Amino acid sequence: MAISNVEGLAGAVQGRVVERGDSGYDEARALYNAMIDKHPAAVAYCADEADVSAAVQFARDRGLRIAVRGGGHNGAGLGSVDDGLIIDLSAMNNVTVDPAARMVRVQGGALLRDVDAATHEHGLAVPAGIIGTTGVGGLTLGGGVGHLSRGCGLTIDNLVAARVVLADGSIVDTDAERESDLFWAIRGGGGNFGVVTSFEFKLHPVKDIYGGPMFYELKYARDVLSFYRDYIADAPREMGAFPAFQIAPPLPFIPEKRHGDTFVLVVACWSGPVADGERALKPFHDVAPVFAEHVGAMPYPALNAAFDGLYPTGLQHYWKANFVKELSDQAIEAHVEHGTKVPAMTSTMHIYPINGACHDMASDQTAFAYRDANFATVIAGMWPDPAQNTANTRWVRDYYDATAPLSEAGGYINFMAEDDQSRIKANYKGNYQRLVDVKKKYDADNLFHVNQNIKP
Ligand SMILES: Cc1cc2nc3c(=O)[nH]c(=O)nc-3n(C[C@H](O)[C@H](O)[C@H](O)COP(=O)(O)OP(=O)(O)OC[C@H]3O[C@@H](n4cnc5c(N)ncnc54)[C@H](O)[C@@H]3O)c2cc1C
């Protein structure tokens, strides 16, 4: 184990430093996933890229392990490290929109809701994830899947440049021309190659959308899932929609006596003309009776924040994921068998569509290799009480064991649990060797290893 020596760190960076034993230490080390209980030697709240560079060099010189924390959302707890240094980017959350150029520059510690708020003012959006409190950093570096993926591609497909602090502390700009290997690798390869202090994304004209969740009785689960599979294969690209299993939360649009019952859902996001929204969602109303819904025209950030309250910081998380090319009848049976047994109101299973614009990029064009997959599934165990850990992780594992053989070998790295490191090669399939080569070039000593790690 590395020696924990952080003496002098506070003088090396401008931002606040919290060390073990300081008041506020437990708050500073807390992660979104309360199941992960790591004790870093210190947390450095970097103020700018010079601070990030100083922190990297400080840790490197002293043999301290490094974890980089963007939004801290990672289910595997990869934003922290025992006895090492957390380079926390939360103070670096500026978002600067250039509406005329349809571009946005986002600092590495911003949250999705920061980006949504700033871009929505101009009627523009970056395609990203479905929860506002997720960090742009981790989400983007893994790929970035969400409501707009079918129409606008993954988040990385909209990344045009980034600034990165490398393992030697140097600061480089990267894009298709500059450090192009690095630019290729950070689009899906996670935090393996350096600390990204800012991202530049192109923006899409998405302001208000038509959509929301539709709840169906479980007896329609098979019909809904098979309809969804067929419909989404060639639905208009403006249609983002994913099915889910969900215990009904106490929401006003769900009759009180059904709170706590399990339903199959479709969450839709029609980003075409709002006036066409009702017509666009009609197929979802025709497939089976919708028991309850909260569907209509709304600002895009409202849908992106709609579930934030359901998923506060401090839940226990255990997730499993797969890519899927064909959602077979057998797979649907497995989903019906296990999805209907979802054990907690905050646990769920989502099948995200990653066809449409996500297929416009070739599998080797970015590090994100599964451009031939049509879906990214996630079995997301999330529950409040650690006493329920065994039952909830069991549900996730049983569900995964039933569906993984009917899926691709790899899954989306951002939906992986701590025990999924053995799947790294499968997650990158044909791109893995190039990732190793880029890792050797930029981080031969594997300084940045607290991630879904690509070993040099
Ligand atoms: C409730 C919930 C909803 C989610 N919804 C979606 C979704 O809709 N779509 C989707 O694609 N994903 C989704 N995710 C998964 C999410 O993308 C990952 O959890 C991601 O790792 C979160 O990034 P973060 O910055 O918040 O995490 P952190 O825990 O801060 O970091 C995660 C990893 O990324 C690295 N990292 C973070 N920022 C940087 C940076 N600036 N430079 C270098 N490395 C960095 C870290 O070192 C670490 O290895 C969701 C997660 C949760 C918990």
Side-chain angles (χ1 to χ4, degrees), residues 32 67-75 77-79 89 108-109 128-131 133-139 141 143-146 190-191 194-197 199 311 317 319 352 382 412 414-415 450-452:
Y32 184 78
V68 179
R69 190 165 69 190
H73 243 231
N74 189 269
L78 298 173
L89 304 176
I130 67 155
I131 301 281
T133 52
T134 309
V136 174
L139 177 131
L141 295 169
V145 173
V195 187
V196 179
T197 54
F199 299 91
Y311 301 113
H317 290 249
W319 294 28
Y352 293 104
M382 300 178 265
Y412 175 38
N414 277 346
F415 292 158
V450 184
N451 41 47
Q452 298 290 346

Side-chain angles (χ1 to χ4, degrees), residues 192 421 424 432 436 439-440 446 453-456:
N192 275 285
Q421 291 276 340
I424 306 281
Y432 182 72
V436 172
K439 179 76 173 174
K440 279 184 187 149
N446 207 6
N453 194 227
I454 292 157
K455 296 197 172 37

Side-chain angles (χ1 to χ4, degrees), residues 79-94:
S80 186
V81 58
D82 278 323
D83 302 316
L85 173 62
I86 297 182
I87 297 184
D88 180 282
L89 304 176
S90 58
M92 297 171 60
N93 64 351
N94 286 339

Side-chain angles (χ1 to χ4, degrees), residues 43-62:
V43 181
Y45 290 90
C46 292
D48 54 24
E49 62 201 29
D51 255 9
V52 173
S53 170
V56 166
Q57 290 178 71
F58 182 93
R60 186 180 187 113
D61 292 349
R62 283 162 184 75

